Structure formats: C-alpha cells, structure tokens
C-alpha cells in the first residue's frame, strides 16, 4: 500500500508546516496567523489517524517473526504515543479560541511531555535496542528468562510514569485555564488564585510522584541497554528460520 504512504507524508507536510502557526498566536505576529495556525494545525491529526489505520491494517499481513521483543514493544508504544501525545493532546488546545485559555499553562507541558516521549523517545529507544542487537552479533533479544523483567519493567515504569505526569499536568492546566483565565480574566490575582488552588497543588504532587516513577524506569532502561544480549548465544536469524521452516 505504497500510495497510502505518499498520501500520509503529503498530509503530514501539508498540515504540519503551516500548522506550526499555532505557536504564532500570541507573540505579536499578525492576526492572520490565528486563522492559518488554527486551520492547518486542526488538520494535523488526520495523517496521524491515517498512520494508525495503516499500522492496524498492516499488522499480520507480513507474517513476520520477531527476534527483538523490546524493540517491537517500544515501536508499539511509539504508535500509541505519537497518536495520543501529538494528535489527541495537541488537537485539544490547538484552536485559537481554546488556546487563548490554555496557552502558557501546564496544559502545554502536559502535551509537550506526552508528544516528545510518545513520538520521539519511544522510537529512539526502539532503535537503541535494534542497534545493540546488531552490535552483539544479531543475537536473540529477549534478555532470557532471568533478565527479561528488566526491559519489561523499564517500558512499564516509563510509560506509566510519563502518562501519570501527563494526566497530573493536564488537571493542573485545566484548573489554570479555568480559574486564572476564564473566571479571573488573566489578572495578577487570578494567577495566584490558580497557583494556590488545592487542585493545582495536589496535581503538582502527583506530577512529582510520577516523575519519580519515570526516573526509576529510566535507570532500569539504562541498566538493561548496557547488559541485554550479553552472553546470549541464540542467533535471532537462526530462530527466525527455524520458525519459518517448522
Ligand atoms: C511529534 C509531534 C509534537 C511534538 C513533539 C510537540 C511538542 C510540543 C511542545 C514541546 C510544546 C510546548 C511549546 C511551548 O510551550 O512553546 C507544544 C505546544 C503545542 N502544540 Fe505540540 N507537539 C507535537 C504535535 C502537535 C500537533 C499535531 C498539534 C495539533 C494538533 C500540536 C499542538 C500544539 C499546541 C496548540 C501547542 C500550544 C501552543 C501554545 O499555547 O503556545 N502539537 N507542542
Ligand atoms: C522525571 C521525569 C521528568 C521531569 C521531572 C520533568 C520535568 C520538567 C519540567 C519541570 C519542565 C518545565 C515545565 C515548565 O516550563 O512549566 C519540563 C519541560 C519539558 N520536558 Fe520534562 N520532565 C521529565 C521527563 C521528560 C520526558 C521523559 C520528556 C520527553 C521525552 C520530557 C520532555 C520535556 C519537554 C519537551 C519540555 C518542554 C515542554 C514545554 O515547554 O511545555 N520530559 N520537564
């Protein structure tokens, strides 16, 4: 389905370049950026939806065998992370009428974290696992029965941690948009009313706790990347051929 790929890429550039206009709403640029940025960035999720549809339709159609479980798991995390972090979390505050209230609140930080982690960190980590597999001599990359818990816990803790941070920041951003902007009209006292509100303060505590979970996942990930595949003798290719011929 190569045609689809071209359509997706065309949509990506078509919406993405002018869609960046959502960063030009309130920085002293001419008013036409409200229309351009709002319109084109609202189209940005379309190629992201198309990619998810494409991925779901392609699943199983190749019947591939996979000798690198952590890499595949991180690619799957990427498919979801990109779609939700950029597509859904971005779309939520991209219309200027909404962004007027959310701009510069923790809402941006909520989207920023899920988008960067979901779209970029995940795919990089998948490539790290592929590179290490190659480096160790194309061995079977599962960590073996004794060590596979490391990459499994690393991906689990990192995803739970970042999603937890995202939700906590979203609650904080919602509260700021509501109290500081909508109710108090962006006033000086409104800023402090929002900062001192119990919902905001507890969201900051939750953000901190999930940050610790994220950090724990990162430490485990680094440990796993340094050790996985060492001393492994089963070749991924040989296993693939075994499975294919059986
Ligand atoms: C991989 C894709 C993406 C990444 C890594 C990303 C990352 C970010 C980051 C870091 C910010 C904060 C910037 C700042 O505070 O100056 C941001 C803001 C924003 N992004 Fe994204 N984003 C992505 C895709 C999208 C998409 C597809 C949309 C729209 C559908 C979107 C809509 C927005 C909006 C509306 C803001 C807030 C602008 C503001 O109020 O200043 N983003 N993004
Ligand atoms: C222990 C985990 C983490 C902590 C404690 C943390 C903390 C922070 C803080 C305090 C900010 C500044 C927010 C502000 O200006 O209001 C920030 C911004 C940012 N962080 Fe993180 N972060 C963590 C993990 C991550 C991860 C995993 C990613 C992505 C891979 C990431 C990407 C970003 C980005 C893109 C921004 C800029 C967002 C914006 O401008 O709104 N962070 N982070």
């Amino acid at each position: 389905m190569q045609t689809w790929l071209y359509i997706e890429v065309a949509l990506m550039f078509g919406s993405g370049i002018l869609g960046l206009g959502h960063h030009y709403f309130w920085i002293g640029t001419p008013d036409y950026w409200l229309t351009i940025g709002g319109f084109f960035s609202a189209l940005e999720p379309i190629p992201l939806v198309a990619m998810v549809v494409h991925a779901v339709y392609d699943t199983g159609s190749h019947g591939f065998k996979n000798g690198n479980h952590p890499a595949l798991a991180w690619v799957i995390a990427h498919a979801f992370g990109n779609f939700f972090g950029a597509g859904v979390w971005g779309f939520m505050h991209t219309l200027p009428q909404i962004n007027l209230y959310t701009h510069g609140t923790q809402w941006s930080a909520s989207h920023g974290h899920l988008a960067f982690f979901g779209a970029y960190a995940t795919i990089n980590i998948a490539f790290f696992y592929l590179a290490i597999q190659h480096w160790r001599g194309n061995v079977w990359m599962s960590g073996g029965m004794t060590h596979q818990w490391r990459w499994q816990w690393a991906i689990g803790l990192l995803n739970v941690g970042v999603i937890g941070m995202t939700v906590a920041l979203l609650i904080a951003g919602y509260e700021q948009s509501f109290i500081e902007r909508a109710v108090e009209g962006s006033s000086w006292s409104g800023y402090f009313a929002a900062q001192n509100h119990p919902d905001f303060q507890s969201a900051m505590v939750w953000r901190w706790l999930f940050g610790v979970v994220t950090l724990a996942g990162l430490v485990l990930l680094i440990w796993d990347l340094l050790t996985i595949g060492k001393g492994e003798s089963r070749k991924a290719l040989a296993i693939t051929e075994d499975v294919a011929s059986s």
Side-chain angles (χ1 to χ4, degrees):
M1 292 285 281
Q2 248 181 10
T3 327
W4 257 114
L5 209 57
Y6 290 123
I7 295 174
E8 282 161 29
V9 173
L11 280 168
M12 199 68 142
F13 283 119
S15 62
I17 294 172
L18 286 174
L20 285 173
H22 60 226
H23 297 286
Y24 306 154
F25 291 162
W26 325 113
I27 57 169
T29 37
D31 282 355
Y32 52 73
W33 280 110
L34 295 172
T35 316
I36 298 175
F39 180 77
F40 286 98
S41 70
L43 299 178
E44 280 182 74
I46 297 173
L48 300 176
V49 173
M51 281 195 283
V52 170
V53 173
H54 197 162
V56 170
Y57 272 87
D58 264 10
T59 308
S61 67
H62 301 301
F64 74 102
K65 301 287 182 291
N66 166 45
N68 195 330
H69 291 182
L72 182 65
W74 277 105
V75 166
I76 293 170
H78 167 81
F80 285 99
N82 191 21
F83 176 66
F84 284 103
V88 179
W89 255 249
F91 185 71
M92 286 198 289
H93 57 150
T94 210
L95 297 177
Q97 293 87 340
I98 294 172
N99 195 262
L100 179 65
Y101 295 91
T102 58
H103 174 72
T105 65
Q106 299 292 341
W107 207 301
S108 304
S110 174
H111 157 65
H113 279 85
L114 195 59
F116 259 98
F117 176 79
Y120 301 135
T122 49
I123 199 81
N124 273 298
I125 297 167
F127 277 93
F128 293 163
Y129 276 107
L130 286 174
I132 286 173
Q133 178 177 41
H134 187 71
W135 190 24
R136 302 250 194 269
N138 198 26
V139 290
W140 182 250
M141 286 285 276
S142 68
M145 290 305 273
T146 38
H147 294 312
Q148 62 183 7
W149 68 271
R150 275 185 212 152
W151 71 260
Q152 290 170 344
W153 273 87
I155 191 173
L157 287 171
L158 274 163
N159 279 283
V160 168
V162 173
I163 291 169
M165 284 169 63
T166 301
V167 173
L169 291 168
L170 184 70
I171 292 170
Y174 184 89
E175 185 272 347
Q176 285 177 297
S177 308
F178 192 68
I179 308 277
E180 179 190 329
R181 304 281 164 83
V183 177
E184 303 261 355
S186 291
S187 62
W188 181 240
S189 64
Y191 173 78
F192 289 101
Q195 295 289 310
N196 294 323
H197 195 281
D199 288 356
F200 183 85
Q201 305 238 327
S202 61
M204 289 294 111
V205 174
W206 283 105
R207 173 198 69 165
W208 187 85
L209 289 172
F210 280 108
V212 174
V213 174
T214 308
L215 186 64
L218 178 69
V219 171
L220 212 52
L221 177 76
I222 293 170
W223 183 23
D224 191 56
L225 285 170
L226 292 173
T227 51
I228 192 168
K230 270 190 183 164
E232 174 68 75
S233 54
R234 292 170 298 166
K235 291 273 179 200
L237 198 63
I239 290 169
T240 311
E241 280 163 0
D242 270 4
V243 176
S245 60
S246 63

